[in-house]
Amino acid sequence: MGTAKAQRAGNDPAEPATNAPQPKLLSRPAGALSRSDIDEKEMAALIHELVSCGTRLTLSSWADPKRGVGCARDKIAARFEEISKTTGGKLQVVVDKFEATAERTSGKAVPLENVYAILPGTDPVMAKTVFVVSGHFDSRPSDVMDPNADAPGADDDASGTAVSVECARLLGKLAATGKSGFRATILFAAVSGEEQGLLGSGHLADWLKEKGYAVGGMLDDDIVGADSAQGAPHRVRVFSGNGEIEDADSLSRELARAVEEIDGRDAIRMIFRVDRYGRGGDHYPFYKAGLPAVRFTEPLENYDHQHQTPRTENGVEYGDFEKYLNFTFMGNVARDNAEVLRQLAMAPAAPTDVRLTGAVTPDAKLSWKAGDDPERAGFEILWRETTESRWQVFDFVPSAGQTMLKGVSTDNHFFGVRSVGKNGARSIATPSQPEVRPAPGTNKK
Ligand SMILES: [Zn+2]
């Protein structure tokens, strides 16, 4: 019996049987940001300023410079302006005012504001693609409708706001050298209205569409400040939704894979789930629109420190205070976000219309489209076992069109294609859509 088992183990036919491609892969772009580039003191200082606004509930005052959500808007806009000066004005600061109506605004239109810092891309075509990093600067006490109670929101989500602003500082500094190679636009967002129903983020998605941007990727950082479990710092969780197409990945999942590949498995814990159960976040409006969007969140949350009006009950202290933050962890998160933005903004556009054909034949065929791009080296053909989470590179192909995967069945793997720049930067993968072909004996169309 032992022998029979040994003969069966791993005993699948090789695909392809012979002559598997052995592509030479370009190395990823030089100049990766290092952890020591992160200014934890600046991050802490901004969080302290935000907490000092008392509450940042979206329904609190937008006009009072000392207390309320408007106080937070002022601090963030001022910090972005300061950073912009160090970039010679390359970083453009926008305060975006709008109105929204939701259950958590009592069904009434209320004023909201988002703050953006925008680093325009240097490539005329790619500049219409935007990579977004976002945190929400609104906070809440236990009662999400109470504009008066204290709501320090140090972790939720002054931490994510500080990550977004720190990314602006780091990448703005790189852009100021004129050698960043950021072909696409990067937008650093601090949005409001998250706790009232993802209002600021939903508005940001609309705003980008209206301005004619294609969203290349959206990184939502929400509750990324604490890491209190033994053995910290731990990996940050990156949540991504599955999408709604059977037998194909969502673009959000592809973004999650790109994040893990850029930052490493020792930094990123991919969670293949749209969000934590019973919770929502600002990546959701983007995800629902079919755009690539993921959520960064700390490893293990403490619910006594979230959405709680500060108080002590039965010896338990409730409240989202600065003293619970872990800046070693938060700095890691900032570095990991910034490096993802750096590499994706340097990459050529992701391929489109990736189709898999060749069913019921010995060879899989992949076709895809891509615009002309002199900075592109070519495309990586990706595949993986249907039970695997991560891509492997099957082959490298210099131009768009079609390629035959000789001796590879369409049925045993998932397939995708990504663009590779001459600089080594990769786009996120575009998963293949299978040819719609009814199986015999089914009535499927
Ligand atoms: Zn939050």
Short mmCIF file of all heavy atoms in Angstrom, two decimals, residues 334-381:
data_model
loop_
_atom_site.label_atom_id
_atom_site.label_comp_id
_atom_site.label_asym_id
_atom_site.label_seq_id
_atom_site.Cartn_x
_atom_site.Cartn_y
_atom_site.Cartn_z
N ALA A 334 2.68 52.46 6.77
CA ALA A 334 2.91 53.63 5.91
C ALA A 334 3.93 53.30 4.83
O ALA A 334 3.75 53.60 3.65
CB ALA A 334 3.38 54.82 6.75
N ARG A 335 5.00 52.66 5.23
CA ARG A 335 6.04 52.29 4.27
C ARG A 335 5.47 51.34 3.21
O ARG A 335 5.75 51.48 2.02
CB ARG A 335 7.22 51.65 5.02
CG ARG A 335 8.42 51.33 4.16
CD ARG A 335 8.32 49.90 3.66
NE ARG A 335 9.22 49.67 2.54
CZ ARG A 335 9.02 48.72 1.62
NH1 ARG A 335 7.97 47.94 1.68
NH2 ARG A 335 9.87 48.57 0.64
N ASP A 336 4.67 50.38 3.65
CA ASP A 336 4.15 49.39 2.71
C ASP A 336 3.16 50.01 1.73
O ASP A 336 3.15 49.66 0.55
CB ASP A 336 3.50 48.23 3.49
CG ASP A 336 4.54 47.43 4.27
OD1 ASP A 336 5.74 47.53 3.93
OD2 ASP A 336 4.17 46.73 5.23
N ASN A 337 2.33 50.93 2.20
CA ASN A 337 1.42 51.65 1.30
C ASN A 337 2.21 52.47 0.29
O ASN A 337 1.92 52.46 -0.91
CB ASN A 337 0.52 52.60 2.09
CG ASN A 337 -0.75 51.97 2.58
OD1 ASN A 337 -1.81 52.10 1.97
ND2 ASN A 337 -0.67 51.25 3.69
N ALA A 338 3.20 53.20 0.78
CA ALA A 338 3.96 54.11 -0.09
C ALA A 338 4.70 53.33 -1.18
O ALA A 338 4.75 53.75 -2.34
CB ALA A 338 4.93 54.95 0.74
N GLU A 339 5.26 52.18 -0.82
CA GLU A 339 6.01 51.41 -1.81
C GLU A 339 5.07 50.83 -2.88
O GLU A 339 5.44 50.79 -4.06
CB GLU A 339 6.81 50.30 -1.11
CG GLU A 339 7.68 49.45 -2.02
CD GLU A 339 8.74 50.23 -2.82
OE1 GLU A 339 9.06 51.39 -2.46
OE2 GLU A 339 9.24 49.66 -3.82
N VAL A 340 3.89 50.42 -2.48
CA VAL A 340 2.90 49.94 -3.46
C VAL A 340 2.54 51.07 -4.42
O VAL A 340 2.53 50.88 -5.65
CB VAL A 340 1.63 49.41 -2.74
CG1 VAL A 340 0.49 49.21 -3.73
CG2 VAL A 340 1.95 48.11 -2.02
N LEU A 341 2.27 52.25 -3.88
CA LEU A 341 1.92 53.39 -4.73
C LEU A 341 3.07 53.73 -5.66
O LEU A 341 2.87 54.01 -6.85
CB LEU A 341 1.56 54.61 -3.87
CG LEU A 341 0.30 54.47 -3.01
CD1 LEU A 341 0.24 55.59 -1.98
CD2 LEU A 341 -0.97 54.47 -3.86
N ARG A 342 4.28 53.72 -5.13
CA ARG A 342 5.46 54.05 -5.93
C ARG A 342 5.57 53.10 -7.12
O ARG A 342 5.70 53.54 -8.27
CB ARG A 342 6.73 53.94 -5.06
CG ARG A 342 8.01 54.42 -5.73
CD ARG A 342 9.24 54.18 -4.84
NE ARG A 342 9.71 52.81 -4.92
CZ ARG A 342 10.63 52.36 -5.79
NH1 ARG A 342 11.22 53.19 -6.63
NH2 ARG A 342 10.98 51.09 -5.80
N GLN A 343 5.50 51.82 -6.86
CA GLN A 343 5.70 50.85 -7.96
C GLN A 343 4.54 50.85 -8.95
O GLN A 343 4.76 50.75 -10.16
CB GLN A 343 5.94 49.45 -7.39
CG GLN A 343 7.29 49.32 -6.69
CD GLN A 343 7.77 47.88 -6.61
OE1 GLN A 343 7.40 47.02 -7.41
NE2 GLN A 343 8.62 47.61 -5.63
N LEU A 344 3.31 50.96 -8.44
CA LEU A 344 2.17 50.93 -9.37
C LEU A 344 2.13 52.20 -10.22
O LEU A 344 1.75 52.15 -11.39
CB LEU A 344 0.86 50.74 -8.61
CG LEU A 344 0.68 49.35 -7.96
CD1 LEU A 344 -0.67 49.27 -7.24
CD2 LEU A 344 0.78 48.23 -9.00
N ALA A 345 2.53 53.33 -9.65
CA ALA A 345 2.51 54.59 -10.42
C ALA A 345 3.61 54.60 -11.49
O ALA A 345 3.55 55.38 -12.44
CB ALA A 345 2.67 55.78 -9.49
N MET A 346 4.61 53.74 -11.35
CA MET A 346 5.69 53.65 -12.35
C MET A 346 5.36 52.66 -13.46
O MET A 346 6.09 52.57 -14.45
CB MET A 346 6.99 53.15 -11.67
CG MET A 346 7.59 54.12 -10.67
SD MET A 346 8.94 53.30 -9.75
CE MET A 346 10.25 53.38 -10.98
N ALA A 347 4.32 51.88 -13.27
CA ALA A 347 4.05 50.74 -14.16
C ALA A 347 3.24 51.16 -15.39
O ALA A 347 2.53 52.15 -15.35
CB ALA A 347 3.29 49.66 -13.39
N PRO A 348 3.36 50.38 -16.46
CA PRO A 348 2.47 50.61 -17.61
C PRO A 348 1.03 50.22 -17.24
O PRO A 348 0.81 49.56 -16.22
CB PRO A 348 3.01 49.64 -18.68
CG PRO A 348 4.16 48.92 -18.10
CD PRO A 348 4.24 49.23 -16.64
N ALA A 349 0.09 50.63 -18.08
CA ALA A 349 -1.32 50.30 -17.82
C ALA A 349 -1.53 48.79 -17.85
O ALA A 349 -0.86 48.08 -18.59
CB ALA A 349 -2.20 50.96 -18.87
N ALA A 350 -2.45 48.32 -17.03
CA ALA A 350 -2.80 46.90 -17.03
C ALA A 350 -3.46 46.55 -18.36
O ALA A 350 -4.15 47.38 -18.95
CB ALA A 350 -3.75 46.60 -15.88
N PRO A 351 -3.23 45.34 -18.84
CA PRO A 351 -3.89 44.93 -20.09
C PRO A 351 -5.41 44.86 -19.92
O PRO A 351 -5.91 44.74 -18.80
CB PRO A 351 -3.33 43.53 -20.35
CG PRO A 351 -2.45 43.18 -19.21
CD PRO A 351 -2.41 44.29 -18.24
N THR A 352 -6.12 44.95 -21.03
CA THR A 352 -7.59 44.84 -20.99
C THR A 352 -8.04 43.68 -21.86
O THR A 352 -7.26 43.13 -22.64
CB THR A 352 -8.24 46.13 -21.50
OG1 THR A 352 -7.82 46.36 -22.85
CG2 THR A 352 -7.84 47.34 -20.65
N ASP A 353 -9.31 43.35 -21.73
CA ASP A 353 -9.94 42.32 -22.58
C ASP A 353 -9.13 41.02 -22.62
O ASP A 353 -8.87 40.49 -23.70
CB ASP A 353 -10.14 42.85 -24.01
CG ASP A 353 -10.97 44.12 -24.04
OD1 ASP A 353 -12.18 44.01 -23.84
OD2 ASP A 353 -10.38 45.21 -24.21
N VAL A 354 -8.75 40.54 -21.46
CA VAL A 354 -7.98 39.29 -21.42
C VAL A 354 -8.96 38.12 -21.55
O VAL A 354 -9.85 37.95 -20.73
CB VAL A 354 -7.16 39.18 -20.12
CG1 VAL A 354 -6.36 37.88 -20.09
CG2 VAL A 354 -6.21 40.37 -19.99
N ARG A 355 -8.79 37.35 -22.62
CA ARG A 355 -9.72 36.25 -22.90
C ARG A 355 -8.98 34.93 -22.98
O ARG A 355 -7.89 34.86 -23.55
CB ARG A 355 -10.43 36.47 -24.24
CG ARG A 355 -11.26 37.72 -24.31
CD ARG A 355 -12.68 37.51 -23.79
NE ARG A 355 -13.42 38.77 -23.86
CZ ARG A 355 -13.45 39.68 -22.88
NH1 ARG A 355 -12.80 39.47 -21.75
NH2 ARG A 355 -14.13 40.80 -23.03
N LEU A 356 -9.61 33.93 -22.43
CA LEU A 356 -9.07 32.57 -22.49
C LEU A 356 -9.92 31.75 -23.46
O LEU A 356 -11.12 31.67 -23.29
CB LEU A 356 -9.11 31.94 -21.10
CG LEU A 356 -8.71 30.47 -21.00
CD1 LEU A 356 -7.23 30.28 -21.28
CD2 LEU A 356 -9.06 29.91 -19.63
N THR A 357 -9.27 31.20 -24.46
CA THR A 357 -9.98 30.29 -25.37
C THR A 357 -9.15 29.02 -25.52
O THR A 357 -8.07 28.91 -24.94
CB THR A 357 -10.19 30.94 -26.77
OG1 THR A 357 -8.90 31.32 -27.28
CG2 THR A 357 -11.07 32.17 -26.68
N GLY A 358 -9.67 28.12 -26.30
CA GLY A 358 -8.95 26.86 -26.51
C GLY A 358 -9.55 25.71 -25.73
O GLY A 358 -8.93 24.66 -25.57
N ALA A 359 -10.79 25.92 -25.23
CA ALA A 359 -11.46 24.82 -24.52
C ALA A 359 -11.61 23.63 -25.46
O ALA A 359 -11.81 23.81 -26.67
CB ALA A 359 -12.83 25.28 -24.02
N VAL A 360 -11.52 22.45 -24.91
CA VAL A 360 -11.65 21.20 -25.66
C VAL A 360 -10.61 21.11 -26.79
O VAL A 360 -10.86 20.57 -27.86
CB VAL A 360 -13.09 20.99 -26.21
CG1 VAL A 360 -13.41 19.49 -26.30
CG2 VAL A 360 -14.14 21.66 -25.36
N THR A 361 -9.44 21.73 -26.56
CA THR A 361 -8.30 21.57 -27.48
C THR A 361 -7.07 21.33 -26.60
O THR A 361 -7.13 21.56 -25.39
CB THR A 361 -8.04 22.83 -28.34
OG1 THR A 361 -7.40 23.83 -27.53
CG2 THR A 361 -9.34 23.42 -28.93
N PRO A 362 -5.96 20.89 -27.19
CA PRO A 362 -4.77 20.58 -26.35
C PRO A 362 -4.08 21.84 -25.82
O PRO A 362 -3.27 21.74 -24.90
CB PRO A 362 -3.83 19.84 -27.31
CG PRO A 362 -4.57 19.65 -28.59
CD PRO A 362 -5.76 20.53 -28.60
N ASP A 363 -4.34 23.01 -26.38
CA ASP A 363 -3.58 24.22 -26.02
C ASP A 363 -4.51 25.34 -25.56
O ASP A 363 -5.53 25.61 -26.20
CB ASP A 363 -2.80 24.74 -27.23
CG ASP A 363 -1.98 23.64 -27.90
OD1 ASP A 363 -1.25 22.94 -27.17
OD2 ASP A 363 -2.11 23.48 -29.13
N ALA A 364 -4.12 26.00 -24.46
CA ALA A 364 -4.86 27.20 -24.04
C ALA A 364 -4.39 28.38 -24.86
O ALA A 364 -3.21 28.46 -25.24
CB ALA A 364 -4.62 27.45 -22.56
N LYS A 365 -5.31 29.30 -25.15
CA LYS A 365 -4.93 30.52 -25.87
C LYS A 365 -5.39 31.71 -25.06
O LYS A 365 -6.51 31.75 -24.56
CB LYS A 365 -5.60 30.55 -27.24
CG LYS A 365 -5.06 29.53 -28.22
CD LYS A 365 -5.79 29.64 -29.56
CE LYS A 365 -5.64 28.36 -30.38
NZ LYS A 365 -6.53 27.26 -29.88
N LEU A 366 -4.49 32.67 -24.92
CA LEU A 366 -4.85 33.91 -24.22
C LEU A 366 -4.73 35.06 -25.20
O LEU A 366 -3.76 35.15 -25.96
CB LEU A 366 -3.88 34.16 -23.06
CG LEU A 366 -4.17 33.50 -21.72
CD1 LEU A 366 -3.02 33.79 -20.76
CD2 LEU A 366 -5.48 33.99 -21.13
N SER A 367 -5.72 35.94 -25.18
CA SER A 367 -5.61 37.16 -25.97
C SER A 367 -5.85 38.35 -25.05
O SER A 367 -6.54 38.22 -24.04
CB SER A 367 -6.62 37.15 -27.12
OG SER A 367 -7.93 37.15 -26.61
N TRP A 368 -5.26 39.48 -25.37
CA TRP A 368 -5.45 40.68 -24.55
C TRP A 368 -5.11 41.91 -25.38
O TRP A 368 -4.51 41.81 -26.46
CB TRP A 368 -4.58 40.64 -23.29
CG TRP A 368 -3.10 40.71 -23.55
CD1 TRP A 368 -2.30 41.81 -23.48
CD2 TRP A 368 -2.24 39.62 -23.92
NE1 TRP A 368 -1.00 41.47 -23.78
CE2 TRP A 368 -0.94 40.14 -24.06
CE3 TRP A 368 -2.46 38.25 -24.14
CZ2 TRP A 368 0.15 39.33 -24.42
CZ3 TRP A 368 -1.37 37.46 -24.52
CH2 TRP A 368 -0.09 38.01 -24.64
N LYS A 369 -5.54 43.06 -24.86
CA LYS A 369 -5.29 44.32 -25.56
C LYS A 369 -4.50 45.25 -24.65
O LYS A 369 -4.59 45.16 -23.42
CB LYS A 369 -6.61 44.99 -25.92
CG LYS A 369 -7.40 44.21 -26.96
CD LYS A 369 -8.70 44.92 -27.29
CE LYS A 369 -9.51 44.07 -28.26
NZ LYS A 369 -10.93 44.46 -28.25
N ALA A 370 -3.78 46.16 -25.27
CA ALA A 370 -3.06 47.20 -24.53
C ALA A 370 -2.72 48.32 -25.51
O ALA A 370 -2.40 48.03 -26.68
CB ALA A 370 -1.79 46.64 -23.91
N GLY A 371 -2.80 49.54 -25.06
CA GLY A 371 -2.43 50.68 -25.91
C GLY A 371 -0.93 50.71 -26.15
O GLY A 371 -0.16 50.05 -25.45
N ASP A 372 -0.51 51.49 -27.15
CA ASP A 372 0.93 51.64 -27.40
C ASP A 372 1.60 52.27 -26.19
O ASP A 372 1.03 53.16 -25.58
CB ASP A 372 1.17 52.56 -28.61
CG ASP A 372 0.76 51.86 -29.91
OD1 ASP A 372 0.75 50.61 -29.92
OD2 ASP A 372 0.44 52.57 -30.88
N ASP A 373 2.78 51.81 -25.87
CA ASP A 373 3.50 52.36 -24.73
C ASP A 373 4.99 52.06 -24.91
O ASP A 373 5.44 50.94 -24.68
CB ASP A 373 2.97 51.75 -23.43
CG ASP A 373 3.63 52.37 -22.20
OD1 ASP A 373 4.62 53.13 -22.35
OD2 ASP A 373 3.15 52.10 -21.08
N PRO A 374 5.77 53.07 -25.29
CA PRO A 374 7.20 52.84 -25.53
C PRO A 374 7.97 52.47 -24.26
O PRO A 374 9.08 51.94 -24.35
CB PRO A 374 7.70 54.18 -26.09
CG PRO A 374 6.65 55.19 -25.74
CD PRO A 374 5.35 54.44 -25.61
N GLU A 375 7.36 52.73 -23.10
CA GLU A 375 8.05 52.41 -21.83
C GLU A 375 7.77 50.98 -21.36
O GLU A 375 8.25 50.58 -20.31
CB GLU A 375 7.60 53.38 -20.73
CG GLU A 375 7.90 54.85 -21.01
CD GLU A 375 9.39 55.08 -21.20
OE1 GLU A 375 10.17 54.51 -20.43
OE2 GLU A 375 9.75 55.82 -22.14
N ARG A 376 6.96 50.26 -22.12
CA ARG A 376 6.59 48.92 -21.70
C ARG A 376 7.57 47.91 -22.32
O ARG A 376 7.87 47.96 -23.50
CB ARG A 376 5.16 48.62 -22.15
CG ARG A 376 4.62 47.28 -21.63
CD ARG A 376 3.16 47.10 -22.06
NE ARG A 376 3.05 47.21 -23.50
CZ ARG A 376 2.08 47.87 -24.13
NH1 ARG A 376 1.12 48.46 -23.46
NH2 ARG A 376 2.06 47.94 -25.45
N ALA A 377 8.03 46.97 -21.49
CA ALA A 377 8.91 45.91 -22.02
C ALA A 377 8.08 44.79 -22.62
O ALA A 377 8.49 44.16 -23.59
CB ALA A 377 9.79 45.37 -20.90
N GLY A 378 6.92 44.53 -22.03
CA GLY A 378 6.07 43.45 -22.52
C GLY A 378 5.07 43.01 -21.47
O GLY A 378 4.68 43.81 -20.61
N PHE A 379 4.73 41.74 -21.53
CA PHE A 379 3.66 41.22 -20.67
C PHE A 379 4.09 39.91 -20.03
O PHE A 379 4.74 39.08 -20.68
CB PHE A 379 2.40 40.97 -21.50
CG PHE A 379 1.93 42.20 -22.22
CD1 PHE A 379 2.40 42.50 -23.49
CD2 PHE A 379 1.05 43.07 -21.60
CE1 PHE A 379 1.99 43.65 -24.15
CE2 PHE A 379 0.62 44.23 -22.25
CZ PHE A 379 1.10 44.52 -23.53
N GLU A 380 3.69 39.73 -18.79
CA GLU A 380 3.88 38.43 -18.15
C GLU A 380 2.56 37.65 -18.20
O GLU A 380 1.50 38.18 -17.84
CB GLU A 380 4.35 38.61 -16.70
CG GLU A 380 5.82 39.02 -16.64
CD GLU A 380 6.32 39.40 -15.26
OE1 GLU A 380 5.50 39.57 -14.33
OE2 GLU A 380 7.56 39.56 -15.11
N ILE A 381 2.67 36.43 -18.68
CA ILE A 381 1.53 35.52 -18.70
C ILE A 381 1.54 34.79 -17.36
O ILE A 381 2.54 34.16 -17.01
CB ILE A 381 1.66 34.50 -19.86
CG1 ILE A 381 1.94 35.21 -21.19
CG2 ILE A 381 0.44 33.59 -19.92
CD1 ILE A 381 0.87 36.17 -21.62
#
